[in-house]
Each structure stands twice: as structure tokens, then as C-alpha cells.
Amino acid sequence: MTTVDDFNFENKKALVRVDFNVPLDAEFNVTDSNRIEAAKPTIIKILEDGGSAVLMSHLGRPKGERKAALSLSHICDKVSEVIGVQVKFVDDCVGEKAEKAVAELESGEVLLLENLRFCAEEEKGDKLFAEKLSHLGDIYVNDAFGTAHRAHASTTIVAGFFPDKKCFGYLLAKEIKAIEKVMKTGEKPVTAILGGAKVSSKITIIENILSKINHLIIGGGMTYTFIKAQGGKVGNSICEDDKMDLALTILQKAKDLGVQVHLPVDVIAADDFSNKANTKIVAVDDIPDGWQGLDAGPKTLENFRDVIHESKTILWNGPVGVFEMESFAKGTISVGNFIDEATKNGAFSLVGGGDSVAAVKQFGFEDKVSYVSTGGGAMLESLEGKSLPGIAAILEA
Ligand code: AMP
């Protein structure tokens, strides 16, 4: 895998695709600079080599139109503060103006281009537009995992104009290695913890990972489709009746492959989908009518703990309860704690895709797991076994 470490950027202009799609408040202040911080090591490496960096990103969804509220000029000061260099800005991302700003760029300097998605050609993956982008650098660096599953001009097509001068930035390389560790090279036993609301949104992931894991922990709303499919009573719990056959197929496939499946045995049931609902602990397959399972029960958590503690590689995708409500967050917090303990004992743990990342951040587990993926959709597509165009474009000769 070619990374920025394989290039000396001295007197070179690096065209770097970053993901600076950061949240802004009403006064256009950046409210979370994590994504800028995440790109910093790559930018610093380029500058320390004696090169300069031309940064390109999208912000929001302007849908091919110039929208002042989504101008990347709003984040220029924040990028300067994080990188420690006064960042220049040009209010275009291709063409004469941008080319002039790049030509004037000196070693050690950083230039931020205007929002790529002001141009409709970006999301269309337009070749001519990508060629124009390619005029803005000597070496192409992709450090934006969050958009690696999109075949856009700046994430994929532009790479074709840098046949032997393209590479991954540190952030993207780290994401790829973390996923590889779980899917290919991870030490056994490998455990996947899948939660979230629905089986239907996780089915492709389950099908892809079954042959790569030893244990499958199923939690959250998905549970009840599996339980009902096996003849259990799930009361008013969330359940996809049309996915029950699929659930049984998954269980059979897991058995054939020797994968141990761990479903909840007890749950915290509530008489309403509300933080203030009455609750009681019931067997997962005997939930009374009018009650719904909203979190994992104590016996379930003991079982999950034992499996997680003996795992050497752990993937976590999806909360095991309705963690947004305090009354039903305990299960998800406990799973986070078990992963923390396993990680301290030498396991590699990866959290990625959607709401489990939100949960990990909300409960402060970010530094306790080995890796938290920044790319929602891109992470999910990787787990589904899809080849991401942004990654393939760098790997292609
Ligand atoms: P996902 O985006 O598929 O990972 O789903 C995450 C959502 O699943 C979160 O918003 C949780 O509140 C929700 N969830 C987890 N457990 C349950 C449950 N037992 N019943 C309903 N929703 C749940």
C-alpha cells in the first residue's frame, strides 16, 4: 500500500483530498474539528518534507450550486489553527483562479480550495473536471475515508491522472489496515457485535463476515426478528416479520460454518417507547403483549461479557439497546466497558458504522477501543465486502 511515507514532497505540490465536511453553527464556527485534526498528520508530513499542500474537500450538500453558507472559507481559520500554518483560500476549485493560487504557493504553505460540490461535475465523477483538478498538484493524496465509497471526481477519477504519483494519506491507510485486521489478519477468536434497529440494514454485513468470525453477538432491535423466527413471543418489540426466514437462514449458515451465535436471553422490557416507561426484566422469548424489549438484560450482559473477554479481535457495529434514552443505555455502556477491558488485555477492537460511533463518543469510549472509524457509509460498505472506488483508484497501476 503506497502512502505519503513513500514520497518525498520536497518542492512538490500535493493535491490532497481531505474530508473537511465539518459541522458549523449559525455564525459559521466549526463546532467539531475532529475531521480536521484527523487530516493533520498527513498535511504536516508534506510540509515537513519541504512541500506544499493543496487541500480539497466538500462541505454539506450544495448540489452543484454555489451557496455562500457552504463555502469552505468559513473553516479556513479553524484549519489554520489546527495545522499551525496560516492557510490560504481560493474561492474556486478548478480553473484559472485556482491554478494561479497554486502557482503562487511556496514550500511550507497550505492552500484550501472552495467547496468541490459547488460544481455538479464533482459528484458525477466527470473526467474533464477531474483533469482540471489534476492540474493543481504534482502528487495526489487521498486521505478522505468518509468519501472513499463514492466514485466522485476528487475521490476516484482524478487518481487516473497521477499514474505513479498517487498515494494514501495516513488516515485512510489506518482505516484500511484496521478493517483488514478484522476481516483478514485478525488474531482469533474474532467476534462481531452487531446491534442497531433492523436486520434488513445489517444483512449484507452479516452475510459477508460470517465466514471470517468465530462469534456473532446479536443485540438491539435486530434480536426480536431472530427470536420470533424461532417461535419466541416478542410482544410489541420491533420486529421484521418479512425477514424471519432470512434470520433462520443466517442461523443455519452460522451453524454450518461453526460460528457461535449469541442472542440475548433476557431483556429490559418497557410498556412504552419512552425513557419514563415502566420497565421489567423478562425472558427474551416471553415478552408480554403491550411490552417491548429496549435493552439487554443482566444475564445477557454476563454472557456477552464472557464472549468479549475471550476475544482477540472485536468488531462493534450498532448499539444493543435504545442508548439515546438513559433508561435503556446500560447494555450499550456495558458492552463498551467489556470491549475496553478486552482491549486492555491485548485484543484489537474496531468500532465503526453509524450509531455505535455516536454511542462510543457519547459515553467516552473513544480512547479505550483500538480504532474508531470515521467513515460511516464507507465503513459499512467495507464490512459488506464491497471494493471502495476511492481505494481501488489508488491501488490500480
Ligand atoms: P443502526 O443505525 O441500525 O445501528 O440502529 C441504531 C438505532 O437502533 C439506535 O437509534 C437505537 O436506539 C436503535 N435500537 C437499538 N435497540 C433497539 C430496540 N430494542 N428497539 C428499538 N430500537 C432499537
Side-chain angles (χ1 to χ4, degrees):
M1 185 170 29
T2 312
T3 74
V4 277
D5 280 336
D6 297 303
F7 287 93
N8 182 348
F9 289 87
E10 192 176 4
N11 295 324
K12 300 279 185 232
K13 287 174 175 146
L15 179 63
V16 192
R17 178 53 158 104
V18 288
D19 180 2
F20 285 172
N21 185 26
V22 291
L24 303 176
D25 64 16
E27 274 88 46
F28 303 113
N29 299 304
V30 177
T31 54
D32 179 351
S33 58
N34 271 335
R35 286 181 169 169
I36 303 174
E37 310 263 358
K40 182 176 174 179
T42 294
I43 299 166
I44 295 295
K45 146 78 180 160
I46 293 162
L47 301 184
E48 281 184 354
D49 272 4
S52 54
V54 179
L55 308 180
M56 52 179 178
S57 177
H58 74 283
L59 177 65
R61 292 185 172 158
K63 301 220 162 101
E65 279 175 43
R66 205 169 250 280
K67 292 202 172 120
L70 294 176
S71 169
L72 278 170
S73 61
H74 300 306
I75 75 160
C76 213
D77 286 347
K78 186 48 121 186
V79 181
S80 304
E81 184 191 314
V82 172
I83 310 291
V85 171
Q86 187 55 50
V87 173
K88 295 180 168 181
F89 179 76
V90 57
D91 66 356
D92 226 333
C93 58
V94 287
E96 245 174 64
K97 221 179 194 178
E99 285 179 24
K100 184 165 176 281
V102 170
E104 287 167 0
L105 204 63
E106 293 187 13
S107 293
E109 289 189 323
V110 179
L111 174 71
L112 178 63
L113 304 177
E114 183 54 287
N115 193 341
L116 291 159
R117 292 194 188 167
F118 282 180
C119 302
E121 297 94 329
E122 160 66 359
E123 288 183 83
K124 285 185 190 142
D126 185 87
K127 208 165 173 189
L128 205 67
F129 179 74
E131 188 178 7
K132 286 184 193 163
L133 286 174
S134 75
H135 296 155
L136 306 177
D138 306 309
I139 300 166
Y140 170 65
V141 180
N142 191 350
D143 210 17
F145 183 66
T147 47
H149 58 316
R150 307 277 183 222
H152 294 171
S154 70
T155 62
T156 302
I157 313 302
V158 70
F161 295 95
F162 296 88
D164 49 8
K165 295 217 162 39
K166 56 184 176 181
C167 64
F168 296 111
Y170 291 127
L171 174 66
L172 188 41
K174 246 190 344 196
E175 292 270 358
I176 297 169
K177 279 192 198 132
I179 293 164
E180 258 181 18
K181 223 164 165 177
V182 171
M183 308 290 266
K184 286 190 196 151
T185 59
E187 203 185 321
K188 289 186 167 99
V190 180
T191 297
I193 306 160
L194 295 185
K198 292 179 168 181
V199 183
S200 49
S201 62
K202 303 284 156 101
I203 187 66
T204 330
I205 297 182
I206 301 179
E207 283 174 340
N208 183 47
I209 61 173
L210 265 187
S211 61
K212 303 171 172 74
I213 59 177
N214 307 102
H215 295 277
L216 173 63
I217 289 179
I218 295 175
M222 271 206 297
T223 305
Y224 307 99
T225 306
F226 283 90
I227 297 298
K228 191 170 173 188
Q230 294 177 94
K233 261 185 68 189
V234 299
N236 289 28
S237 307
I238 186 173
C239 184
E240 291 170 280
D241 287 349
D242 61 331
K243 294 289 177 295
M244 290 201 297
D245 285 347
L246 198 60
L248 292 177
T249 309
I250 290 169
L251 293 176
Q252 185 57 47
K253 205 170 162 194
K255 204 169 168 192
D256 296 345
L257 288 164
V259 177
Q260 289 188 46
V261 178
H262 310 271
L263 277 156
V265 290
D266 59 354
V267 294
I268 311 289
D271 61 358
D272 189 14
F273 190 79
S274 153
N275 198 31
K276 295 207 174 81
N278 295 307
T279 61
K280 59 181 177 183
I281 299 166
V282 297
V284 70
D285 56 356
D286 196 15
I287 303 174
D289 287 341
W291 292 73
Q292 52 189 306
L294 294 183
D295 199 8
K299 183 78 188 85
T300 298
L301 290 175
E302 273 178 33
N303 295 347
F304 286 2
R305 182 197 59 205
D306 293 347
V307 178
I308 293 169
H309 278 179
E310 72 164 60
S311 304
K312 286 280 169 259
T313 303
I314 301 163
L315 163 72
W316 185 19
N317 174 281
V320 299
V322 184
F323 74 98
E324 297 93 335
M325 297 185 206
E326 207 186 331
S327 306
F328 310 107
K330 187 161 177 260
T332 299
I333 295 173
S334 301
V335 166
N337 281 327
F338 303 151
I339 297 176
D340 173 20
E341 288 151 10
T343 309
K344 284 199 183 102
N345 276 330
F348 177 82
S349 52
L350 167 64
V351 181
D355 272 329
S356 34
V357 175
V360 159
K361 285 188 179 166
Q362 184 176 325
F363 302 125
F365 290 119
E366 246 173 319
D367 299 329
K368 296 178 176 165
V369 296
S370 312
Y371 198 74
V372 180
S373 169
T374 55
M379 176 71 188
L380 292 178
E381 290 197 16
S382 295
L383 296 177
E384 287 172 353
K386 293 180 185 150
S387 150
L388 306 190
I391 293 174
I394 299 278
L395 297 176
E396 269 159 24

